[in-house]
Amino acid sequence: MRIAMIGSGYVGLVSGACFADFGHFVTCVDLNQGKIDALKRGEIPIFEPGLDDLVRENAAAGRLTFTVGLADAVRAADVVFIAVGTPSRRGDGHADLSYVYAAAASIAEAADGFTVVVTKSTVPVGTGDEVERIIRATNPKADVVVASNPEFLREGAAIEDFKHPDRIVIGTEDERGRGVMAEVYRPLYLNQAPIQFTDRRTAEIIKYASNAFLAMKIAFINEVADLCEKAGGNVQDVARGMGLDNRIGSKFLNAGPGFGGSCFPKDTLALAKIGQDFDSPMRLVETTVAINDQRKRAMGRKVIGACGGSVRGKTISILGLTFKPNTDDMREAPSIAVIQALLDAGARIRAHDPEGMAAAKEILTNIDYADDPYEAATGADALVIVTEWNAFRSLDFERLKSLMKAPVLVDLRNIYRLAEVEPHGFTYESVGRPVRTPIEHALAAAE
Ligand SMILES: NC(=O)c1ccc[n+]([C@@H]2O[C@H](COP(=O)([O-])OP(=O)(O)OC[C@H]3O[C@@H](n4cnc5c(N)ncnc54)[C@H](O)[C@@H]3O)[C@@H](O)[C@H]2O)c1
């Protein structure tokens, strides 16, 4: 198969490289000349484990090429994937479809012979109809089928997810379109990946419903964490007790500072807006959005509480800036709201992240950056773990204590236990787990 991938961001680049690895011939297209030039030189613009080798090998084998020339790539293609961004539209939170529609118009002008145009971007229900309308209006003679094929990969495990998906969803009722898509994914379903054919609108809804459901699970366990803190209880044990019920499942039940990233925040918001537009309100999703928005800043207040109620003039050290480990993606990262709350309260911030500092420097311009956790902790009044990078899982607490001004650790990812940290003389706070009152701390310290 000859594939054109329009948009060479996270999804486009990973999908393109994986399709090439299956043996297809893939041209990755992007508007961004700098990104394409870098890719041609073998430089990968994002941090994603294993992606550099995959791109290099398939480029060397002649199956993966990069260009800004959309028209030539589309003309030569049997299948054209649209993998451009669908960010939140400024002002109203609807999915911004301008990139998708612009790509559709360009594709229409160039399509030659039978072509399947596939929306891989996450798009509201009905977008496929509009893409088809644009293509037919721009080029009435084009022999095109428009399908939906939402992507479920996770950043940080993107290649593994793409090559071993839980399911492949293909939304088109056109037989020729289904035949081509089955061929594109043949290497995967030979490996037993379930392939689900649906109509186009159903496929579009599956993606938003899946993301919103996972986001809802996170928001739910975060509220349970708050209850544990108030009522006495351990959210990790609650989550385990819930997750062992396989109707519930254990995944996405880790309490923390709220969900971030390039998908859940914008997709939950967009689904809430879609529901309103169809006069079918998604109230659980609307509430999930509200819970999560409030939670990130509340985590800033939690840090302030751990510092005795004020951080004015204090230095707070932040470990982890990206929205999750194994990515350099800073989009909607909880760290941004946590740090802003601390800055608003008069703190100075010194932060470290293993991969995300270059991206963070574009967003968080008024904080200091450190090369490692110990440099970040030097002279700090508190250390806050915001992202659970492996590099933070075995910190040398004796060394940290000798460097810090005050031994206070706020672990927003619950990667430690009180019993591991407290013997080193730290005041330790985490999320949804038993907290010691200041008097209990004093008594424990006196023992
Ligand atoms: N990032 C994820 O983990 C993930 C997972 C599943 C689905 N998605 C969805 O996939 C879509 C893409 O997400 P992403 O994270 O890869 O976005 P991204 O911002 O990383 O990449 C989008 C790319 O498209 C390019 N582009 C925009 N318009 C173009 C055009 N007309 N022609 C060529 N290139 C164009 C941009 O320059 C950019 O490089 C979104 O709808 C997103 O919701 C993302």
Side-chain angles (χ1 to χ4, degrees), residues 6-12 29-32 35 70 83-86 99 102-103 120-122 151-155 207 262-263 266-267 331:
I6 312 303
S8 306
Y10 253 106
V11 167
V29 181
D30 207 284
L31 290 174
N32 184 329
K35 195 178 264 189
L70 181 144
V84 301
T86 49
Y99 304 100
K120 202 168 236 330
S121 301
T122 302
E151 182 50 58
F152 299 99
L153 60 78
R154 293 164 301 168
E155 291 178 14
K207 173 63 190 179
S262 65
C263 291
K266 78 172 177 63
D267 292 349
R331 289 180 277 187

Side-chain angles (χ1 to χ4, degrees), residues 205 208-209 212 266-276 282 285:
I205 295 176
Y208 274 113
K266 78 172 177 63
D267 292 349
T268 45
L269 194 54
L271 183 56
K273 299 291 175 184
I274 293 165
Q276 288 160 13
M282 306 288 294
V285 180

